[in-house]
Amino acid sequence: MARYFLLRLADAIPTIWLVLTLVFIAMRILPGDPAIAALGDMALPEQLAAFRHKMGLDVPLWQQYINFLIGVLSLDFGQSYMNDEPVLNLIAANLPYTIELTVAAMIIGVGAGVPFGVLAATHRDRLPDSGMRVFSLLGYAIPDFYLGALLLIGFALNLGWFPINGGGDGFMDRMYHIVLPALTLALVKAAFIGRLTRTALLETLGKDYVRTARAKGAREPRVIYRHGLRNALLPLSTGMGLSLLATLSGSVAVELVFNRPGLGRLLIQAINERDYGIIQGGVVVFALLVLLINLVMDLLYIVIDPRIRVKS
Amino acid sequence: MNLRRRQFLELSAATAAMSMLGPALARAASDPDTIRIGIAANGPRTSDPNYTTQGGDNWATEQMYEQLVRPDDGTFATTPDQYRPTLATEWSASSDAKTWTFKLRQGVQFHKGFGEMTSEDVVFSFKRAMADGTNKPILSNIADVVATGPYEVVITLKNSDVNLLGTSIFLNNTAVVSKKAVDQMGAEKFKTDAVGTGPYELTRFDSKWGTALKRHEGYWGEKAKVAKVESVYIADTTARTLALLAGDVDMIEAVRAPGWVDSMLQRDSTLQFDMTSPGSFNTLHINLKRKPFDNIKVRQAIMYAVDRHAVAEAMKPMGGFTADLQPESFPGGFKTEDLPPDLQYNYDPEKAKALLAEAGFPDGFDFDSNVSQREDYASIMLIVQEQLRAVGMRMNLHIGDHTAYHADNQHDKNTLALHSSSYPPIPTQLYVQQLSTKAEVKPDGTGGINYSHYGVAMPGIDDLLAKALQATDYKAYVDYCRQIELQVLRDLPLIGMSTLSFTVARNARLDLGYKVQSGYARWRFHHATKKA
């Protein structure tokens, strides 16, 4: 297991390098000058030149690339142009908000999606199943930012039940602030996971061993949860992994609409202002998170289905 | 719990009914002891007045710092005699306007127990701004700042400046900071924990959230009425608007787009709008090195083809008309009727067509131009595009990212470059930055923002500008500025397209204590009161 884990980690290195290089190139191809973005269009040439020198933007591109890679190896993404603060500090301050939002959305999404899916599968072609279908369609069709705005208007503006913006201070306040953003992201998750649960469960419920269990007199809840759902876990966990990745990327729009601190909001601001350090650092962190999630999912497969362990 | 269908319907109906009640039921009116403003940016960058580059940060610095003089609240001092004593109680200038003496107010206390302000702090603040501040170029005319006593400072200039109070004294950068605090904390920490003499002092600086201030109890003047001020950063327009409507914030920086004020009033008719007049200057640079814009008849055709009143009207109530470059409320500005008839350029598309025909383009011509996607830029240029099309000038407009747009302009890649910037009533600042030869744009990006190449592609206003800058008499200064305005209207390298007020939407519970008429894009809260 440990060897498998290490091998997978080693596999990730070229991917990370590729991501780093692509981000570096993309930032330099993109039109726009970070010096003008940082100092404003009224800045004088000597001020712009001094800024470029301070930020290491006046050396040849290849040298900037080498400096960048060396920096990354020592976990140093340089200074932010906007805040004149180490990029790593800014990422460290914002990342927890994105992670807690993603986790909360997943808990709500899975918590609602799995029971919905079970209900739909066990009431196939009846009212709960049709309801599930409508719910899924809605979930897929409504964009995050639009749903977020609707929830804001309904529950925060009109009813005043939840805060309008911010991330909150202290544990309870943070939990209070996270409800609407997490619900926004969770609706799509619940729709996706619900559909997936229904399909996977229907497939397993049609298998011979389920018929055998029923023939042996097992009660229906036991048949569904122990024989059906448990065996549907593998496709379901793949779906959850994908869903987790989608939640992570969906957090960008939600952080903007709800004015929450977070890596997504930080990145959007950095892109507008051509803040290379934050963009590079932020994308690398996002990439690392994606790789980590994939790795955890792979390891989970082994736990869920021992046959994979034998093969690997 | 089993939820029966009947119960479910009842619950749904109750929820729906509550949601119909609207904002009246929104969370309790925010704290009457706190003024909270929603800033249109993602987070504060600095609270040190010497380094602010992001406009929103100035809302906090405006409350925390003071200069030697300042204009009345809610106005710009359009002439030197309109400045009021602040940290200086009196001042005088030598007859050549090169030596300025300021007597300081005694007993002014810095925040957080950093003691009394003396001439040492004033000298320190000026030298710091001159050596390394965001307005270094403007301050480069100062030769020296010397303390001639604990409460007296003498500023000597390289060249005369009859406008010194406006150009260099009432500036963010020359706000007085505590020397002791900078020495003790270090310049880096001072950026987020700054110490001034203003009516409010900093209590929190959070780059993810915003800044918090509390009343400065040791303030020398009348103490602020509301105890706390918070600047909350909300970049997203929807989130910012909802925060105002929900009562989360008392005021927000507006979106300067057509129809925004009307749409806000539809949602809440009690909202108040504070607007500076003139606000930003929207100027259109005509690249004199691009054919056929090197032809004066083509440039005149643009002036007759574009209905500048319509442009200002489209941005109402934020838009303002300018007959020349300076608005008529500023020194140097003209009213249309005061201009010579041939320089009034009243909207006349037929005359524009005739001028184009005379220039050799009876069927018009096609050309490319870039514009930023930012609401104010794109709105104005789309109107200009339509009006030019009507006379045969077919502008192929490329709308792009704001940062990229400015970078392209600075590399001389545009034909008609719209530029928005705010200026105090010091006309020469616009001329130096947008019309002087030394600010000419360069293809390698090392030039300034004279995107028309005025003064190089054709003789410009450099001589007149030099005379204005050397003037020792304010009347003579204004007269030179008016001559520059007339020459620019004759040569047409730059068109004053419209002004655009800086606007804040505010709930009616908050009363500023004065009317905002003009000034920089920030206002003080020391006279404000707030109802619960």
Side-chain angles (χ1 to χ4, degrees):
Chain A
M1 187 88 156
R3 186 166 167 269
Y4 175 77
F5 187 79
L6 286 175
L7 277 175
R8 287 300 311 270
L9 267 185
D11 274 355
I13 291 171
T15 314
I16 293 278
W17 172 76
L18 197 66
V19 169
L20 287 172
T21 308
L22 286 177
V23 173
F24 181 87
I25 295 170
M27 285 326 303
R28 268 69 184 178
I29 290 175
L30 204 67
D33 183 336
I36 297 174
L39 301 182
D41 44 14
M42 309 281 270
L44 290 185
E46 58 264 30
Q47 289 175 305
L48 295 174
F51 176 87
R52 290 189 190 107
H53 180 69
K54 184 180 166 194
M55 294 299 174
L57 294 167
D58 57 347
V59 298
L61 265 187
W62 64 266
Q63 206 173 326
Q64 287 184 42
Y65 179 66
I66 303 277
N67 292 345
F68 165 55
L69 288 186
I70 292 171
V72 171
L73 283 177
S74 51
L75 269 185
D76 174 12
F77 293 100
Q79 290 286 112
S80 155
Y81 306 157
M82 304 182 298
N83 297 51
D84 204 12
E85 208 180 318
V87 167
L88 210 60
N89 289 4
L90 289 170
I91 290 177
N94 282 280
L95 185 61
Y97 287 92
T98 302
I99 290 180
E100 74 186 20
L101 174 62
T102 308
V103 169
M106 281 307 288
I107 291 173
I108 301 173
V110 173
V114 171
F116 283 170
V118 172
L119 201 67
T122 51
H123 295 76
R124 193 177 182 181
D125 295 333
R126 283 161 37 209
L127 191 65
D129 195 20
S130 314
M132 177 73 215
R133 209 167 300 142
V134 174
F135 174 67
S136 306
L137 268 176
L138 267 178
Y140 287 130
I142 302 182
D144 288 338
F145 64 88
Y146 184 66
L147 177 65
L150 285 184
L151 291 181
L152 260 179
I153 291 169
F155 292 101
L157 180 65
N158 285 352
L159 294 174
W161 291 352
F162 295 100
I164 285 276
N165 64 65
D169 291 316
F171 181 74
M172 289 312 289
D173 196 35
R174 277 170 85 146
M175 290 302 104
Y176 179 46
H177 276 79
I178 214 169
V179 176
L180 289 186
L183 273 177
T184 306
L185 283 172
L187 180 75
V188 186
K189 303 315 122 207
F192 176 69
I193 289 166
R195 289 297 290 174
L196 206 69
T197 309
R198 176 188 179 274
T199 313
L201 193 58
L202 279 178
E203 201 184 317
T204 51
L205 287 180
K207 298 263 179 182
D208 288 346
Y209 55 81
V210 173
R211 202 177 310 132
T212 309
R214 282 195 176 121
K216 282 166 73 182
R219 293 182 58 198
E220 198 56 19
R222 185 179 166 84
V223 171
I224 290 165
Y225 291 104
R226 190 162 175 82
H227 298 278
L229 201 55
R230 198 166 167 186
N231 284 300
L233 266 182
L234 198 60
L236 206 53
S237 60
T238 311
M240 285 185 199
L242 290 173
S243 188
L244 186 57
L245 298 178
T247 314
L248 198 62
S249 54
S251 65
V252 175
V254 171
E255 281 169 5
L256 281 178
V257 172
F258 288 90
N259 193 42
R260 278 178 63 77
L263 202 53
R265 200 181 75 157
L266 185 71
L267 262 179
I268 293 291
Q269 181 193 12
I271 290 167
N272 286 336
E273 313 241 354
R274 304 293 186 272
D275 197 326
Y276 291 170
I278 293 184
I279 300 170
Q280 286 162 177
V283 170
V284 168
V285 171
F286 261 120
L288 280 174
L289 283 175
V290 169
L291 285 169
L292 194 72
I293 290 169
N294 275 326
L295 188 58
V296 171
M297 293 319 297
D298 286 352
L299 295 175
L300 257 182
Y301 290 163
I302 299 173
V303 177
I304 294 169
D305 190 345
R307 285 171 299 178
I308 294 175
R309 196 182 314 166
V310 175
K311 281 178 202 157
S312 69
Chain B
M1 187 182 90
N2 284 328
L3 191 66
R4 293 173 188 281
R5 186 182 300 178
R6 190 192 183 97
Q7 285 171 308
F8 174 75
L9 286 175
E10 282 169 2
L11 192 66
S12 309
T15 310
M18 281 179 77
S19 66
M20 304 283 282
L21 291 175
L25 253 192
R27 87 186 48 79
S30 59
D31 181 3
D33 287 333
T34 306
I35 296 170
R36 200 178 291 155
I37 173 166
I39 307 281
N42 277 291
R45 293 184 190 171
T46 177
S47 62
D48 184 335
N50 201 26
Y51 296 108
T52 53
T53 53
Q54 177 174 265
D57 291 348
N58 294 331
W59 280 95
T61 58
E62 182 72 8
Q63 323 301 328
M64 290 154 59
Y65 299 97
E66 290 170 312
Q67 294 83 355
L68 298 180
V69 301
R70 47 181 302 125
D72 283 330
D73 288 327
T75 67
F76 254 142
T78 47
T79 53
D81 58 315
Q82 291 173 2
Y83 282 97
R84 302 285 169 251
T86 309
L87 294 180
T89 51
E90 50 187 288
W91 54 91
S92 59
S94 61
S95 58
D96 63 355
K98 279 189 176 177
T99 306
W100 291 69
T101 307
F102 293 86
K103 290 211 183 319
L104 303 184
R105 188 178 294 280
Q106 298 187 24
V108 173
Q109 296 296 318
F110 279 112
H111 304 151
K112 303 174 187 174
F114 275 96
E116 191 191 3
M117 175 206 72
T118 65
S119 52
E120 199 188 6
D121 298 294
V122 177
V123 171
F124 172 78
S125 302
F126 270 87
K127 291 206 163 164
R128 182 169 166 267
M130 287 153 61
D132 181 27
T134 45
N135 258 325
K136 217 166 92 175
I138 285 179
L139 299 175
S140 63
N141 188 33
I142 298 180
D144 204 3
V145 185
V146 181
T148 45
Y151 301 106
E152 190 177 274
V153 172
V154 174
I155 297 177
T156 46
L157 307 179
K158 295 173 193 159
N159 295 305
S160 310
D161 184 359
V162 289
N163 261 327
L164 185 80
L165 301 181
T167 58
S168 310
I169 306 296
F170 183 58
L171 267 191
N172 241 354
N173 306 71
T174 48
V176 178
V177 300
S178 160
K179 177 179 185 302
K180 192 172 155 194
V182 178
D183 288 347
Q184 223 171 72
M185 292 179 192
E188 209 47 44
K189 180 149 192 319
F190 196 77
K191 283 183 181 168
T192 55
D193 194 11
V195 174
T197 61
Y200 287 96
E201 64 181 53
L202 185 68
T203 53
R204 178 182 173 197
F205 184 97
D206 181 341
S207 62
K208 301 188 299 296
W209 171 80
T211 53
L213 316 172
K214 70 167 188 186
R215 179 166 49 216
H216 174 32
E217 298 296 347
Y219 186 56
W220 60 269
E222 192 186 336
K223 289 187 189 50
K225 295 183 174 73
V226 179
K228 288 178 278 184
V229 170
E230 292 178 356
S231 302
V232 186
Y233 284 69
I234 313 175
D236 184 74
T237 311
T238 312
R240 205 163 68 249
T241 307
L242 291 177
L244 177 69
L245 294 173
D248 246 24
V249 295
D250 299 298
M251 48 203 280
I252 57 169
E253 290 188 305
V255 180
R256 298 199 287 171
W260 189 83
V261 170
D262 289 338
S263 74
M264 289 296 287
L265 281 171
Q266 274 172 9
R267 293 186 213 192
D268 182 353
S269 60
T270 66
L271 287 177
Q272 307 289 308
F273 293 87
D274 302 315
M275 292 182 199
T276 61
S277 174
S280 313
F281 293 49
N282 289 298
T283 46
L284 187 69
H285 294 248
I286 304 180
N287 195 329
L288 301 167
K289 288 197 168 173
R290 299 266 169 110
K291 287 199 177 301
F293 297 99
D294 56 341
N295 185 331
I296 181 67
K297 288 192 190 307
V298 172
R299 301 201 295 278
Q300 286 169 341
I302 294 177
M303 279 302 266
Y304 285 112
V306 176
D307 183 353
R308 288 171 294 141
H309 281 287
V311 172
E313 185 70 10
M315 309 299 283
K316 76 170 187 189
M318 304 180 204
F321 173 78
T322 48
D324 46 333
L325 292 176
Q326 302 292 331
E328 62 179 63
S329 62
F330 273 21
F334 284 92
K335 287 182 183 161
T336 303
E337 57 268 30
D338 294 339
L339 286 167
D342 61 320
L343 299 183
Q344 291 184 359
Y345 298 106
N346 292 312
Y347 175 56
D348 188 346
E350 291 311 314
K351 195 162 182 177
K353 283 183 195 164
L355 280 162
L356 279 183
E358 282 177 41
F361 301 98
D363 301 321
F365 58 88
D366 296 80
F367 68 101
D368 290 323
S369 209
N370 303 333
V371 70
S372 158
Q373 65 185 1
R374 208 175 82 179
E375 299 97 340
D376 48 343
Y377 278 76
S379 307
I380 291 173
M381 283 306 275
L382 285 167
I383 297 170
V384 170
Q385 182 189 39
E386 273 314 301
Q387 296 186 336
L388 291 183
R389 193 200 312 275
V391 301
M393 285 186 266
R394 294 170 295 272
M395 174 162 65
N396 182 20
L397 198 57
H398 303 276
I399 301 180
D401 168 277
H402 190 67
T403 312
Y405 169 73
H406 279 302
D408 281 349
N409 281 350
Q410 292 229 324
H411 288 82
D412 196 19
K413 289 183 182 166
N414 211 348
T415 312
L416 298 185
L418 188 70
H419 187 86
S420 167
S421 39
S422 298
Y423 290 100
I426 315 287
T428 39
Q429 288 192 0
L430 186 149
Y431 309 149
V432 168
Q433 285 173 338
Q434 302 198 30
L435 289 163
S436 69
T437 302
K438 70 173 187 181
E440 188 203 9
V441 65
K442 301 268 167 60
D444 62 1
T446 58
I449 60 169
N450 172 358
Y451 302 135
S452 63
H453 302 275
Y454 193 43
V456 180
M458 65 185 290
I461 45 83
D462 296 297
D463 293 342
L464 280 172
L465 180 57
K467 285 178 185 161
L469 290 170
Q470 299 283 340
T472 53
D473 169 62
Y474 187 71
K475 271 191 70 176
Y477 169 85
V478 174
D479 190 50
Y480 285 123
C481 292
R482 289 170 83 90
Q483 289 183 45
I484 289 175
E485 294 285 321
L486 293 175
Q487 186 173 332
V488 172
L489 282 173
R490 279 193 293 272
D491 294 341
L492 295 177
L494 187 63
I495 300 174
M497 198 45 84
S498 78
T499 60
L500 193 58
S501 300
F502 181 79
T503 305
V504 160
R506 162 169 63 85
N507 72 37
R509 290 197 307 273
L510 180 67
D511 180 355
L512 292 175
Y514 59 88
K515 185 167 167 42
V516 174
Q517 297 168 73
S518 63
Y520 287 111
R522 53 193 186 256
W523 26 97
R524 264 184 154 193
F525 297 134
H526 62 153
H527 289 147
T529 50
K530 192 176 162 192
K531 285 183 277 201

